[in-house]
Amino acid sequence: MLDLTYESPAPKIISGATGDWELVIGMEIHAQVASQAKLFSGASTRFGAEPNSNVAFVDAAMPGMLPVVNEFCIEQAVRTGLGLKAQINLWSAFDRKNYFYPDLPQGYQISQLYHPLVGEGEVLVDMGAGVARLVRIERIHVEQDAGKSIHDMDPNMSFVDLNRTGVALMEIVSRPDIRGPEEAAAYVGKLRQILRYLGTCDGNMQNGNLRADVNVSVCRPGQYEKYQETQDFGHLGTRCEIKNMNSMRFIQAAIDYEARRQIAILEDGGSIVQETRLYDPDKGETRSMRSKEEAHDYRYFPCPDLLPLEIEQAWVDGIAATLPELPDAKKARFMADFGLTDYDASVLTADLADAAYFETVVADAGDGKLAANWVINELFGRLKKDAREIGESPVSASQLAGVIKLIKSGDISGKIAKDLFEIVYTEGGDPAAIVEERGMKQVTDTGAIEQAVNEIIAANPAQVEKAKQNPKLAGWFVGQVMKATGGKANPAAVNKIVTQKLSS
């Protein structure tokens, strides 16, 4: 059972010349639906194809071509809504959003303004152990993507690639519940994590498969609480939208800059103009793109080419029955079943493949804490150094479990285990066989260890006297014995015998 007891983080405070200011942030996340075909055509969605090669007649807006809804895209959107604990609307409808741009061949975008497929939901954003922000989802609507204008291939011409045209998007709109740059980035990260667990979006921000429009405003302390009480946006400042953000780092930098820009204007006696802005990462600043349009500017009206979308509750229930264990539930289970800390459980559940690898190790080796330590510190550390993903790991889950079992059985020490891990990582092989073949097994014969201790003590009488006066120096003898035995001596046995010898 999930433990949802948490404290909300304090809002970000920025000190201005005339007093303190708080940030208020809402986000619109555009997530490309994981589907092999587009929303209204059978054209491929494969990334990286030759320009204008994944374009069906309906995508190119050829005369007489009519859209046909891709049922799988709708299923993916419903799955997303269920994963975000949102209301699924059994009746929804598509609208035309009219605007003219070279990469929009129809002259309009088919979207959902008045009757979205998914209603209100929520996302719990972890900000630390016992600290989280609950972000309310206002709606998720399904829409088609536009194409791409390319301006840097020729100094005198621009080009248009329509491969993305008609690709299915889920626009996930939040309430203005986010209160700082770090929370905004964490929200995008958590949403991306949930979508990848659900398999409804791959979350690849570099390819543009997950993009964020960030609405930023500032207000005086106390005003946000009034908004929460009344839901009256008049208590909040005028917002500006930062368009098409696809980097967690840039999201944070853009919010910080934009908030300070607005504060400077307000404290100078000016007013904020509602507008859409772009972030320039090279200059570290936002710049005006266009005045913020309202719904009437787009002349929305119901799409005459598509009937209202009606789905059955039984169909929705069938999708719900196939939902996987989601990140919050998996994290809670890892903490309860394996005794992991909040931090370790968060790291291991950050990615579905990482969590699956860890569970395979634990199932084979047992000891969740020891398994977590080896997966996080040794394996993840080495993979990060080599810029590899878990799917590219040279050490399989069964091999790592084999290393852990050798530690638990006392066949190898922690130091030898690290040497063994390195051999398995670089050369492969069965850990148990490698230990036998290379003579890496830990020395547990107390007679052999005692002989090594006696030799070290006999060779260092001066150090013996110092250790008898200061017992902390016994560690020197332990180190010498471990060195003399090639690190194979059982450390606990060495410590015990050295202590006995020095105290006699």
Side-chain angles (χ1 to χ4, degrees), residues 84-95:
L84 299 181
K85 304 173 186 174
Q87 171 67 39
I88 306 300
N89 297 321
L90 302 182
W91 192 98
S92 61
F94 287 101
D95 304 294

Side-chain angles (χ1 to χ4, degrees), residues 158-306:
S158 291
F159 298 87
V160 174
D161 180 5
L162 297 182
N163 278 348
R164 290 189 67 95
T165 303
V167 167
L169 296 179
M170 298 176 287
E171 182 166 341
I172 305 169
V173 182
S174 83
R175 297 283 186 181
D177 292 344
I178 304 165
R179 308 305 309 283
E182 296 80 10
E183 286 184 27
Y187 168 73
V188 176
K190 184 60 173 289
L191 198 55
R192 177 176 180 267
Q193 180 191 31
I194 294 172
L195 293 175
R196 293 183 70 175
Y197 265 65
L198 291 167
T200 57
C201 175
D202 67 14
N204 192 321
M205 300 182 76
Q206 185 176 355
N207 292 351
N209 294 358
L210 190 73
R211 317 189 290 271
D213 296 343
V214 187
N215 291 285
V216 181
S217 66
V218 296
C219 65
R220 292 293 191 181
Q223 292 300 109
Y224 184 80
E225 287 71 21
K226 292 181 180 178
Y227 154 72
Q228 289 283 54
E229 292 173 6
T230 64
Q231 296 299 300
D232 180 0
F233 287 101
H235 294 295
L236 303 179
T238 301
R239 71 184 188 277
C240 291
E241 180 185 51
I242 310 171
K243 198 76 175 172
N244 286 333
M245 303 293 296
N246 64 350
S247 159
M248 305 292 193
R249 181 164 60 90
F250 291 162
I251 286 173
Q252 295 183 70
I255 291 172
D256 189 68
Y257 175 86
E258 178 60 23
R260 295 180 188 279
R261 183 191 73 87
Q262 292 183 22
I263 290 169
I265 292 172
L266 293 169
E267 293 194 326
D268 198 38
S271 58
I272 304 302
V273 176
Q274 185 173 334
E275 61 181 350
T276 299
R277 301 178 68 85
L278 292 176
Y279 178 69
D280 186 335
D282 295 326
K283 295 182 179 180
E285 62 185 31
T286 63
R287 66 172 185 270
S288 182
M289 178 183 177
R290 61 175 180 261
S291 61
K292 178 65 176 176
E293 300 94 340
E294 301 293 347
H296 61 77
D297 294 315
Y298 289 111
R299 296 181 294 113
Y300 277 97
F301 61 85
C303 181
D305 292 337
L306 290 163

